[in-house]
Amino acid sequence: MGNFDKIVNLCKSRGFIFPGSDIYDGLANTWDYGPVGVELKNNIKRAWWKKFVQEAPASYGVDADIFMNSKVWEASGHTASFSDPKMDCKSCKTRHRADNLIEAYSKGKVNPDVMTNEEMEQYIAEHKVACPKCGKSDWTNIRNFNLMFSTSRGVTDEGQNLIYLRPETAQGEFVNFLNVQRSMRAKVPFGIAQIGKAFRNEVTPGNFTFRTIEFEQMEHQWFCKAEESMDFYHEYKKKALDFLLSIGFSAENLRYHDHDKLAHYAKAACDIQYQYPIGWEELNGIHHRGDWDLSRHQEFSGKSMLYLDPFTNEKYIPNVIEYSIGADRLTLAVLCEAYDEETLEGGDTRVVMHFHPAIAPYKVAILPLQKNLSEKANEVYSTLAKHFMVTYDEAGSIGKRYRRQDEIGTPMCVTIDFDTLENNTVTIRDRDTMEQIRLSIDELVDYVSKKIDY
Ligand code: ATP
């Protein structure tokens, strides 16, 4: 079994991620975070917010509605052209993305992003690219399907209006540019950040949570002057990478991938890719979008998006540097990065998730050595639970309990023994080194706080 399958199995058995609607045999590519997974994902989102809002004095958070006026999607171009080039296999009737077929067939050597639909059809025919499902090469022409999920609004059947589930969170930041600027008395350059759900009716090849139809995005739009925009673009490329390194990624598993083909309005674009067990894949994007977004909203809404510079009296529409990362795709990368199988002295093996302590689901596990120590153990639990996510386990041998905590990446295990009753001390075991030290209960909160400091 490859590591990816082992991670998927561990996610289910240890409460990270379950298949959606599991008791009804699931619903393709929907996933539910379990008790351990929701802590991990929340901690990742918190770490991102800390870096890009809390510690960034000129950045402001918003939480915009998922539903937006349909004109927003006309202005953004999503209604007209947010689509994937899809082909149906005439033999087994499955649907595939033409660009993905070419990428997989050429092992990444051919870049379908720079090809027209006709060129992609020609490549697939010439190379007899096979259907990944049935192996035949008998394709329909490419058709472009809009990726937005639509629904209708209204309490009666008549007069219902078509509305969309947002396919990206970015528009919530763009339409609030003036609201944020005025209410916060913000001066360009400044940023607007948001974490929220997005929905895309994509063909999903089944790589666990890598590409799903519902997902969460963490986005940061930086509004700046055109003359300074390229410097900020490079700054955000660096900030995006630094954030990943700061939550525990190793540099050799990350790389920049600059785009060859740019959207007509874009001045530069780059992804950061992560080396997943399934190969190098996009983890986040950094895009220099020029003044396209605000200009389009000015055109479609009829509201001026001009910013009046209070120092120079210049009036201009700011440029935007967008940094966008999927919270679920990042959580999956964190799981892959943390997964490890270690051989211990004596030949035993252990699975251990080496999460950075700041994002580990539980910071501490409380393990009484015997059941009759549970009263004291519960006391310690209550003290720590006021400050951190703590878990408690009194079932099975201490060795088995350590293994269970290693598998969910708990950085510290506190054991309560008979000495604890005598002198108010406990042992703390470190997940990675497995070393133990003895500490007074009074020092625990400080000790754990320092360990998880980020
Ligand atoms: P891809 O090329 O993988 O489809 P994209 O270039 O369309 O991604 P963006 O629209 O720039 O992606 O979205 C920004 C980020 O949102 C991506 O880098 C990714 O982390 C995340 N994301 C996009 N689509 C999905 C999806 N279907 N499932 C999970 N995460 C996604």
Side-chain angles (χ1 to χ4, degrees):
M1 204 193 302
N3 267 4
F4 202 56
D5 292 334
K6 289 182 187 167
I7 291 165
V8 175
N9 288 345
L10 180 92
C11 279
K12 180 161 186 193
S13 65
R14 289 290 174 252
F16 284 99
I17 301 173
F18 308 126
S21 316
D22 204 12
I23 58 167
Y24 291 95
D25 299 329
L27 171 68
N29 277 297
T30 62
W31 301 94
D32 297 341
Y33 287 81
V36 183
V38 72
E39 296 303 330
L40 178 66
K41 189 172 156 188
N42 281 343
N43 291 342
I44 290 172
K45 289 192 283 184
R46 238 174 257 134
W48 186 87
W49 196 259
K50 182 167 182 271
K51 265 280 190 285
F52 290 96
V53 180
Q54 184 181 327
E55 292 176 4
S59 287
Y60 304 92
V62 294
D63 181 9
D65 211 293
I66 284 172
F67 293 114
M68 301 185 84
N69 190 308
S70 294
K71 276 195 182 161
V72 168
W73 306 114
E74 284 171 36
S76 68
H78 283 83
T79 317
S81 60
F82 188 53
S83 57
D84 276 343
K86 292 187 183 138
M87 304 177 98
D88 289 348
C89 170
K90 288 190 201 159
S91 171
C92 71
K93 313 282 182 242
T94 53
R95 186 162 288 169
H96 302 267
R97 269 173 67 170
D99 51 344
N100 289 351
L101 290 172
I102 293 172
E103 250 176 3
Y105 177 84
S106 69
K107 299 203 167 54
K109 293 205 179 82
V110 176
N111 179 6
D113 290 353
V114 296
M115 296 164 97
T116 62
N117 281 0
E118 290 69 32
E119 284 165 345
M120 284 196 275
E121 282 170 0
Q122 205 178 340
Y123 182 95
I124 286 168
E126 263 170 25
H127 295 83
K128 297 205 170 19
V129 176
C131 167
K133 183 88 185 188
C134 72
K136 302 252 168 59
S137 180
D138 189 9
W139 298 104
T140 61
N141 286 341
I142 291 176
R143 281 177 296 166
N144 286 319
F145 287 92
N146 197 294
L147 297 176
M148 285 198 291
F149 281 101
S150 60
T151 185
S152 48
R153 177 162 201 271
V155 282
T156 58
D157 284 345
E158 301 94 59
Q160 289 196 337
N161 288 322
L162 191 66
I163 50 172
Y164 299 100
L165 275 75
R166 66 180 174 199
E168 61 174 28
T169 52
Q171 300 306 324
E173 289 117 78
F174 297 139
V175 300
N176 281 302
F177 166 69
L178 287 177
N179 283 336
V180 172
Q181 192 266 315
R182 286 173 187 157
S183 60
M184 305 312 288
R185 292 175 293 123
K187 296 191 178 55
V188 170
F190 72 94
I192 303 184
Q194 171 167 223
I195 299 179
K197 294 271 187 182
F199 305 82
R200 294 181 190 178
N201 201 354
E202 301 205 57
V203 172
T204 48
N207 285 327
F208 196 31
T209 53
F210 179 78
R211 185 182 299 286
T212 47
I213 53 178
E214 174 189 336
F215 55 98
E216 240 172 321
Q217 287 186 314
M218 307 193 285
E219 292 202 309
H220 184 274
Q221 315 290 343
W222 185 250
F223 299 93
C224 57
K225 254 180 141 162
E227 300 88 288
E228 298 171 348
S229 59
M230 223 14 126
D231 288 347
F232 282 126
Y233 170 71
H234 292 293
E235 189 178 315
Y236 273 89
K237 267 176 82 168
K238 182 168 181 317
K239 280 188 175 170
L241 186 66
D242 286 349
F243 167 67
L244 295 171
L245 297 174
S246 76
I247 58 166
F249 282 93
S250 56
E252 65 264 27
N253 284 334
L254 298 168
R255 69 180 186 195
Y256 288 118
H257 172 248
D258 292 308
H259 290 202
D260 304 326
K261 187 182 163 190
L262 296 176
H264 63 91
Y265 52 82
K267 301 220 174 97
C270 167
D271 300 336
I272 293 179
Q273 297 182 331
Y274 173 67
Q275 190 167 22
Y276 289 90
I278 50 171
W280 286 99
E281 295 285 354
E282 172 177 336
L283 177 55
N284 71 233
I286 303 111
H287 308 127
H288 186 321
R289 303 178 61 91
D291 65 3
W292 196 77
D293 304 282
L294 294 183
S295 300
R296 291 279 289 189
H297 285 305
Q298 173 167 287
E299 184 187 335
F300 280 73
S301 69
K303 308 275 170 10
S304 168
M305 292 288 154
L306 284 170
Y307 170 74
L308 171 65
D309 190 311
F311 303 112
T312 62
N313 279 332
E314 274 174 280
K315 270 188 171 180
Y316 59 91
I317 295 183
N319 274 219
V320 169
I321 308 301
E322 172 180 85
Y323 157 45
S324 173
I325 180 162
D328 309 272
R329 205 175 273 187
L330 176 57
T331 303
L332 179 59
V334 164
L335 285 161
C336 297
E337 185 77 3
Y339 184 85
D340 196 11
E341 288 170 23
E342 282 178 10
T343 308
L344 306 173
E345 279 172 35
D348 272 3
T349 55
R350 68 165 184 159
V351 168
V352 53
M353 300 298 274
H354 293 288
F355 297 126
H356 186 299
I359 56 171
Y362 297 107
K363 308 307 177 200
V364 183
I366 307 291
L367 313 174
L369 278 190
Q370 300 200 2
K371 285 224 163 90
N372 53 4
L373 292 166
S374 59
E375 196 183 325
K376 187 70 184 170
N378 272 305
E379 231 178 71
V380 179
Y381 178 94
S382 305
T383 307
L384 293 187
K386 288 197 174 74
H387 304 269
F388 324 103
M389 277 305 292
V390 185
T391 181
Y392 184 94
D393 190 1
E394 56 179 28
S397 72
I398 190 70
K400 285 212 176 96
R401 283 186 268 165
Y402 283 150
R403 290 296 99 85
R404 280 200 289 266
Q405 295 307 321
D406 291 342
E407 288 183 356
I408 58 170
T410 309
M412 286 158 274
C413 285
V414 167
T415 47
I416 315 290
D417 54 26
F418 286 104
D419 286 348
T420 313
L421 302 181
E422 299 285 314
N423 60 15
N424 222 32
T425 62
V426 292
T427 58
I428 281 210
R429 168 200 183 255
D430 180 278
R431 175 196 65 201
D432 299 333
T433 63
M434 293 188 285
E435 276 163 16
Q436 303 193 9
I437 56 164
R438 199 140 192 119
L439 213 67
S440 154
I441 290 175
D442 302 335
E443 295 170 277
L444 265 182
V445 170
D446 264 4
Y447 181 85
V448 177
S449 303
K450 284 200 183 98
K451 284 274 176 190
I452 65 172
D453 194 25
Y454 158 76

